[in-house]
Amino acid sequence: DQQVKQNSPSLSVQEGRISILNCDYTNSMFDYFLWYKKYPAEGPTFLISISSIKDKNEDGRFTVFLNKSAKHLSLHIVPSQPGDSAVYFCAAIPDSNYQLIWGAGTKLIIKP
Amino acid sequence: DGGITQSPKYLFRKEGQNVTLSCEQNLNHDAMYWYRQDPGQGLRLIYYSQIVNDFQKGDIAEGYSVSREKKESFPLTVTSAQKNPTAFYLCASTEVGGWNTEAFFGQGTRLTVV
């Protein structure tokens, strides 16, 4: 049973518009969430994170929103750029700091 | 430059053979991890190590083995007991404190059984 779900396998967005990637989780004990970006045949790179005590974290063009009551988080990219085309993984940290629970990823395609 | 190096980038294995994937880091990180990525799935944890000479099984450890004789190195052996080894393998490391601090991933090794 997947504890972290990214229900959209892919998303296509026009360059310059907002990209919104969604992630749902089932375990209310998760206390930290991260987004990673991955290009083909490369390792993921850390993008942005959010603690469960916050509902928003912003870093440049990237903003992550957390809705704990809905067990939902989203990553907003504004404005979207061609270099943003990649697979985005949502991940959550349970009570142990040494493991991550990963979503299946969403492939973002930015159209020129 | 600090980072994680995985080698080789591509690896071909005949059925019944054991192969070892290399992972080296010069970040002085205590914790290291091996993940497997399959299409349409999230990264799945194979093994992780929090300290030298100690490691724990992840979610899919069957058919794999690891060692952690040095802080910098965490090699993964894919044994002949692994039924479906063709996948993309990723190594990662974090400081003490785990994923709340920045984690680094290697470039990955694509293993194909021929």
Side-chain angles (χ1 to χ4, degrees):
Chain A
D1 185 29
Q2 279 190 305
Q3 296 187 64
V4 176
K5 298 178 185 178
Q6 292 177 258
N7 292 319
S8 299
S10 66
L11 176 68
S12 188
V13 174
Q14 201 74 34
E15 182 179 356
R17 299 285 181 93
I18 181 171
S19 295
I20 300 176
L21 298 120
N22 293 305
C23 179
D24 296 294
Y25 61 95
T26 57
N27 188 340
S28 58
M29 298 304 292
F30 289 152
D31 61 6
Y32 208 80
F33 302 90
L34 306 95
W35 284 94
Y36 280 80
K37 176 180 178 180
K38 184 183 180 299
Y39 293 115
E42 292 186 11
T45 53
F46 172 76
L47 202 55
I48 193 169
S49 64
I50 188 166
S51 165
S52 60
I53 62 173
K54 296 187 176 182
D55 55 18
K56 178 182 174 182
N57 187 26
E58 199 170 348
D59 183 3
R61 295 186 299 114
F62 302 92
T63 303
V64 57
F65 295 92
L66 176 62
N67 183 335
K68 285 188 70 178
S69 60
K71 296 191 182 70
H72 176 83
L73 66 156
S74 60
L75 174 69
H76 292 213
I77 306 174
V78 184
S80 300
Q81 298 175 354
D84 296 331
S85 294
V87 176
Y88 289 79
F89 287 96
C90 169
I93 298 180
D95 51 0
S96 162
N97 274 344
Y98 286 97
Q99 297 193 52
L100 280 182
I101 310 296
W102 295 83
T106 296
K107 183 175 183 179
L108 177 64
I109 301 164
I110 305 300
K111 299 180 293 186
Chain B
D1 270 340
I4 297 186
T5 302
Q6 284 185 245
S7 62
K9 192 169 184 178
Y10 299 97
L11 186 59
F12 296 89
R13 188 195 95 171
K14 292 181 181 178
E15 286 195 24
Q17 275 185 336
N18 292 356
V19 289
T20 298
L21 284 60
S22 169
C23 179
E24 304 277 332
Q25 54 99 359
N26 60 4
L27 300 161
N28 201 35
H29 284 171
D30 285 299
M32 296 185 74
Y33 314 76
W34 273 105
Y35 286 94
R36 168 181 172 141
Q37 186 189 13
D38 293 285
Q41 296 197 41
L43 301 181
R44 292 183 292 167
L45 184 65
I46 304 173
Y47 268 97
Y48 66 103
S49 168
Q50 299 177 23
I51 197 169
V52 174
N53 292 324
D54 187 54
F55 47 83
Q56 284 80 40
K57 292 182 179 180
D59 300 320
I60 54 165
E62 186 175 351
Y64 300 97
S65 66
V66 292
S67 63
R68 188 85 186 278
E69 297 175 2
K70 298 186 298 181
K71 189 175 185 178
E72 308 79 37
S73 179
F74 191 40
L76 173 74
T77 296
V78 184
T79 74
S80 56
Q82 169 48 237
K83 300 294 182 220
N84 185 21
T86 294
F88 189 59
Y89 290 87
L90 285 161
C91 179
S93 72
T94 65
E95 294 178 344
V96 173
W99 295 94
N100 286 346
T101 60
E102 188 173 357
F104 291 83
F105 280 84
Q107 293 291 296
T109 294
R110 181 162 296 282
L111 173 63
T112 304
V113 173
V114 296

